[in-house]
C-alpha cells in the first residue's frame, strides 16, 4: 500500500517534466525553434523554455495554443487517448492533470474531429491563481462549487456556485480560488485558443 502511494506521488511530481519533454521532442521533430513556437502560440520564449524544462506548468488554454503551434493535440502531448464520442457516460470520462498543484481536468469532449469547442470540468485547489491571459476566442464558465475572484478587463467579479461568466477572451482575464476549499468549474472554450501570459 505504501509503495503504491509513493509511486503515485512520484508520477504526479514527474508530470511537468514528462509534458515538457514531449513538447521539446515534438518541437525538434518539426525543426522549430523556441522563438518560432512562442511566436505562433502568442507566448513568451522564456515561458516555453520553462515549460519544456518542467519548471512551469501551462494552463489548459496555453497548452492548447502550444499544441496548435506544434501541429498536434493536447491529448498526444499528455499521452491521453484521443477518442471522439458524441455521447460519453460519466464513468467513461477521461481525466488528466497539469502540474503538481492539484489541478485536475475532466474531458467532456470534443465529440467529433474538427469541433470548434473544447468543454471540460476543472478542479482547482484553494488559493490557486490562473495565468493572466489575453487571446483570441471566447470562453464560458459555470461555477459548480467553490468561490472565484474573476478579473476581467479591469473589473472584478466574485463568483459563487451557480454563477456563470461568458466573454470575449481578447479582454485580459484571470481568476483566483477563494476560501479554504477548492473549486469545480465547467468550462467551454473555442479551440485552438491563441493565448499567452501578460507581462
Amino acid at each position: 500500500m505504501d509503495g503504491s502511494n509513493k509511486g503515485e506521488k512520484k508520477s504526479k511530481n514527474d508530470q511537468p517534466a514528462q509534458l515538457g519533454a514531449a513538447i521539446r521532442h515534438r518541437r525538434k521533430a518539426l525543426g522549430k525553434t523556441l522563438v518560432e513556437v512562442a511566436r505562433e502560440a502568442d507566448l513568451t520564449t522564456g515561458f516555453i523554455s520553462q515549460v519544456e524544462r518542467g519548471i512551469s506548468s501551462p494552463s489548459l488554454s496555453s497548452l492548447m495554443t502550444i499544441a496548435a503551434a506544434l501541429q498536434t493535440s493536447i491529448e498526444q502531448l499528455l499521452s491521453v487517448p484521443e477518442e471522439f464520442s458524441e455521447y460519453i457516460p460519466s464513468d467513461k470520462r477521461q481525466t488528466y492533470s497539469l502540474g503538481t498543484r492539484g489541478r485536475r481536468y475532466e474531458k467532456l469532449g470534443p465529440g467529433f474531429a474538427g469541433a470548434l469547442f473544447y468543454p471540460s470540468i476543472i478542479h482547482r485547489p484553494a488559493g490557486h491563481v490562473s495565468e493572466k491571459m489575453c487571446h483570441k476566442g471566447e470562453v464560458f464558465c459555470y461555477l459548480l462549487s467553490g468561490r472565484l475572484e474573476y478579473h476581467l478587463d479591469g473589473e472584478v467579479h466574485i463568483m459563487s456556485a451557480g454563477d456563470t461568466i461568458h466573454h470575449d477572451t481578447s479582454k485580459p482575464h484571470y481568476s483566483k480560488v477563494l476560501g479554504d476549499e477548492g473549486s469545480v468549474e465547467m468550462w467551454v472554450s473555442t479551440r485552438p485558443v491563441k493565448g499567452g501570459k501578460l507581462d
Side-chain angles (χ1 to χ4, degrees):
M1 184 173 181
D2 291 342
S4 174
N5 290 338
K6 289 180 181 178
E8 182 179 350
K9 183 176 181 181
K10 183 177 186 299
S11 175
K12 288 181 179 179
N13 289 339
D14 286 350
Q15 198 274 339
Q18 293 171 354
L19 175 59
I23 291 172
R24 182 170 57 252
H25 181 269
R26 177 65 179 173
R27 175 177 63 79
K28 290 186 174 181
L30 293 175
K32 290 189 174 185
T33 65
L34 284 170
V35 174
E36 290 172 329
V37 172
R39 182 177 63 248
E40 293 176 24
D42 289 335
L43 296 166
T44 66
T45 303
F47 180 65
I48 298 293
S49 176
Q50 289 180 341
V51 170
E52 285 195 356
R53 289 179 288 155
I55 297 174
S56 293
S57 178
S59 67
L60 180 60
S61 292
S62 289
L63 183 57
M64 288 172 71
T65 64
I66 292 171
L70 296 175
Q71 302 167 29
T72 187
S73 66
I74 61 172
E75 288 81 8
Q76 290 177 329
L77 292 175
L78 290 167
S79 297
V80 174
E82 190 170 16
E83 301 172 349
F84 298 109
S85 176
E86 295 176 343
Y87 168 69
I88 304 175
S90 61
D91 61 344
K92 301 295 184 181
R93 191 177 298 158
Q94 296 181 14
T95 63
Y96 58 89
S97 299
L98 288 178
T100 59
R101 300 180 61 185
R103 280 184 293 152
R104 184 166 59 86
Y105 296 77
E106 299 181 48
K107 284 189 61 180
L108 302 181
F112 56 93
L116 300 178
F117 300 103
Y118 192 96
S120 62
I121 293 176
I122 304 177
H123 301 256
R124 295 164 61 190
H128 180 265
V129 181
S130 69
E131 292 178 35
K132 295 181 180 179
M133 304 292 296
C134 184
H135 51 80
K136 296 178 182 178
E138 62 181 284
V139 71
F140 170 84
C141 172
Y142 174 67
L143 186 58
L144 296 169
S145 67
R147 296 175 67 238
L148 292 181
E149 180 182 284
Y150 202 102
H151 295 249
L152 176 62
D153 199 24
E155 296 184 354
V156 179
H157 304 279
I158 304 301
M159 298 179 63
S160 299
D163 291 349
T164 65
I165 192 162
H166 179 204
H167 64 86
D168 181 339
T169 50
S170 64
K171 296 181 177 181
H173 59 281
Y174 73 97
S175 63
K176 177 180 179 180
V177 180
L178 300 176
D180 298 327
E181 298 182 3
S183 64
V184 181
E185 312 153 21
M186 185 182 77
W187 288 85
V188 181
S189 61
T190 50
R191 61 178 296 189
V193 178
K194 296 290 184 181
K197 282 189 172 183
L198 294 176
D199 294 329

